[in-house]
Amino acid sequence: MISLYGVKISSRLLLGTALYPSPQIMADAVKASGTEIVTVSLRREGVQPGAGASFWRLVEGLGVKVLPNTAGCHTVKEAVTTAKMAREVFGTNWIKLELIADNDTLCPDVVALVEAARILSAEGFKVFPYCTEDLSVAERLLRAGCEVLMPWGAPIGTGLGLNNPYGLKAMRAHFDDVPLIIDAGLGAPSHAALAMEMGFDAVLLNTAVARAGDPELMANAFAKALEAGRLAFDAEPMLPNDMAAPSTPVLGKAVF
Amino acid sequence: MRVTILGAGVAGLTAATELVARGVDVEIVERGPAPGAQSCSWYAGGMLAPECEADLAEPIVVELGREALAWWQKYVPQLIKRNGSIVVSAGRDRNELKRFASRTNQHQMLDQEALLALEPDLGDRFSEALYFEHEAHMDPRAALVGLTEYLKERGALFHYGAMLEDVVPGDKIIDARGLAARDCLPQLRGVRGEMLVVKCDDVQLNRPVRLAHPRFPVYIVPRGEGHFMIGATQIESERQGGISAKSMVDLINAAYAVHPAFAEAEIIETGAELRPAFPDNLPRVNWVEDRLHVNGLFRHGYLLSPACARMAADILMRSNNKAEFMDEDHNQWATA
């Protein structure tokens, strides 16, 4: 069980709603994943108010909590406007704050991110910032009012997994009481399992499921990997050794 | 039997043609002034490429889509270009081409030399490509006009600028109004698609070229005399109105990735329309009250309308009016 802004969540998977072959397949994948939170882009689908309404109603019909996002925003102003629109459309003050610096890597613009997080938090939003593993940026986001951080695994859509395990490990150790959700870049369930073994609270993904040959099956695979990884974390894995250590002693046996 | 068909887009005209070919009297009621810009069919790519669709669409789309080529060949033979389609990817998206190949059938991987032989202008830009030899394409606007002529020659009546209330309805009604039919089909939604037509004399392409792209399928279809149709975005939005700047940049960028000479192309036309789609993005042929609806053709108007027309005609010609091949509860197609 994790707590995000006071809301108790038992699934450690947050799922995106873009790029599926059809809304029906998206709904099947959401169900198979057991997720309790889906994220939906306002800007990408409907620039004008109401334009994406049909799709948004389908997302609401999934019966899970909706975390609107500001995907595609490049400036503080755009992100703040989109967040406000999302609050109207979905009736939630949760917002996944995405501010993109560069189109080739889709890496977060951390400077603008902190500024937008400050403005939105002051207006009562519960901000989920898509950030890097930079500790000083994370510190500033917390000071800006964020109570959850979402460091990237790898650039959006790449499927590369956890690109900087050292940095992520340091972040986990440094912010041991802040919910940390790995957001973006995961490609395979093993990446999600690793994130769990490292002690991250949840993962958010989209492309890895939506663009799988069978999204529903892949959603199920991620759910199982997350469960396995979290169980492993709770079970305190053994630490690796440099030398072989036989599980059965050979001393005293008649071995020649 | 006399059948009234609402809508002169590709769904309505194919259904009308199928019925007329079976000896049924039809009349077509179209709110627009002529075949054309009122319908999203006008902005289609006109590719008869069922195998390529397997990349993102469900197997039933491929299966039903395989009927399309023979159907169009029968009614508008002069428009069909049967020389296959090509799929390429930018070097950095090479895995997209691999994915495309693994999810589709009836293709061959071309090396640079083989690609040069088919499409000289691509051969020095791409070291490999997928070739779907048995696919075809046509000018979709000419196809709509062709069907209209075929129908008129056989006595079908057209009422343009008209609604159902303006005519005396026939014994049966087929509703093929696309998104306008959401008054009867509340599950329908609009999925915005945007396209461009450019003129570029510096590029020669003989067949449609798709760019395997991580976000949306982009294709370039040669339309003759240096004209190319570049399409199409797929946005979960029901915004009306012209192409957005971002979509224009995306489409032109894709064309530029295929050949840099497209940067100098003249933009002849832009278009944007809402495709009618059900939540599973699959079409439906079914009764709602007294009308047989043919709708939800999504990205696949020209590919799937022949199969839908055949089913609609089968249903109307049978005494049993139930749409036996649709399981509404599960939104599944049972095999017809």
Side-chain angles (χ1 to χ4, degrees), chain B residues 142-169:
Chain B
L144 292 185
V145 172
L147 291 187
T148 303
E149 282 166 8
Y150 172 94
L151 288 164
K152 282 184 175 164
E153 280 164 18
R154 281 156 188 80
L157 288 175
F158 280 80
H159 306 277
Y160 289 112
M163 311 283 267
L164 181 60
E165 300 78 65
D166 304 324
V167 299
V168 180

Side-chain angles (χ1 to χ4, degrees), chain B residues 20 27 43-44 60 74 91 97 138 170 177 192 219 222 260 271-272 319:
Chain B
V20 164
E27 61 184 333
Y43 300 97
I60 188 76
K74 186 170 167 189
L97 194 64
M138 62 182 176
R177 288 178 296 148
R192 192 171 151 85
Y219 48 81
S319 53

Side-chain angles (χ1 to χ4, degrees), chain A residues 72-241:
Chain A
C73 290
H74 287 78
T75 66
V76 173
K77 195 178 162 204
E78 270 181 304
V80 169
T81 308
T82 305
K84 287 179 179 170
M85 203 171 106
R87 182 160 63 180
E88 294 297 311
V89 170
F90 291 104
T92 175
N93 57 7
W94 281 21
I95 188 77
K96 184 191 158 202
L97 186 59
E98 255 185 75
L99 266 154
I100 299 304
D102 163 54
N103 268 334
D104 243 15
T105 61
L106 298 177
C107 73
D109 180 339
V110 293
V111 176
L113 185 68
V114 172
E115 173 67 5
R118 192 185 55 72
I119 294 169
L120 289 171
S121 297
E123 297 201 18
F125 282 92
K126 311 293 186 196
V127 179
F128 294 65
Y130 166 57
C131 56
T132 62
E133 65 278 48
D134 187 299
L135 298 183
S136 63
V137 170
E139 191 64 54
R140 281 168 176 78
L141 286 168
L142 295 176
R143 263 189 258 154
C146 300
E147 294 176 20
V148 174
L149 298 175
M150 304 185 81
W152 62 352
I156 296 170
T158 57
L160 290 170
L162 303 181
N163 224 4
N164 179 4
Y166 161 76
L168 289 170
K169 208 168 153 185
M171 190 178 192
R172 178 70 284 181
H174 196 75
F175 300 105
D176 56 356
D177 57 351
V178 177
L180 297 182
I181 301 173
I182 298 287
D183 178 9
L186 302 191
S190 53
H191 300 150
L194 179 59
M196 289 295 103
E197 289 170 23
M198 290 168 69
F200 286 93
D201 294 279
V203 303
L204 189 153
L205 48 95
N206 189 343
T207 312
V209 167
R211 282 290 157 95
D214 184 337
E216 188 180 355
L217 199 59
M218 189 58 84
N220 188 11
F222 268 99
K224 289 194 155 59
L226 285 161
E227 192 190 344
R230 183 64 197 185
L231 286 173
F233 174 76
D234 289 338
E236 293 181 27
M238 66 167 283
L239 296 173
N241 297 310

Side-chain angles (χ1 to χ4, degrees), chain A residues 1-10 94 147-148 178-179 201:
Chain A
M1 197 70 108
I2 50 172
S3 175
L4 304 173
Y5 288 103
V7 176
K8 298 266 187 279
I9 303 289
S10 40
W94 281 21
E147 294 176 20
V148 174
V178 177
D201 294 279

